[in-house]
Amino acid sequence: MCETDEENPKEVLCSCSGTTRGLIIELVKQGKDLEGISRYSGALSGCGGCEWEISELVNRLQAENSTPKA
Ligand code: FES
């Protein structure tokens, strides 16, 4: 995974809870699913406006994690 500006770990993806991309990446690494991430960070529990972006990120990270690295 490369860290372009788009992948900035300090970018806040959920402004209701202040959850950053980096925190979500960390929680996925710990094996948390979307619900666990929401419970832990408060993301997705406010306006719901971040739902699409966060679920997409989580799905992508989970797919990357389950793909064996060469
Ligand atoms: S921006 Fe995430 S719940 Fe509002």
Side-chain angles (χ1 to χ4, degrees), residues 23-65:
L23 178 60
I24 289 174
I25 292 171
E26 196 47 50
L27 294 175
V28 171
K29 275 191 200 148
Q30 290 172 17
K32 288 189 169 42
D33 60 5
L34 204 57
E35 202 186 309
I37 290 168
S38 174
R39 230 178 298 135
Y40 181 89
S41 68
L44 305 160
S45 57
C47 71
C50 58
E51 188 175 344
W52 187 86
E53 193 164 10
I54 290 182
S55 60
E56 218 228 17
L57 174 62
V58 170
N59 285 338
R60 185 162 55 82
L61 291 170
Q62 285 172 341
E64 279 171 13
N65 287 350

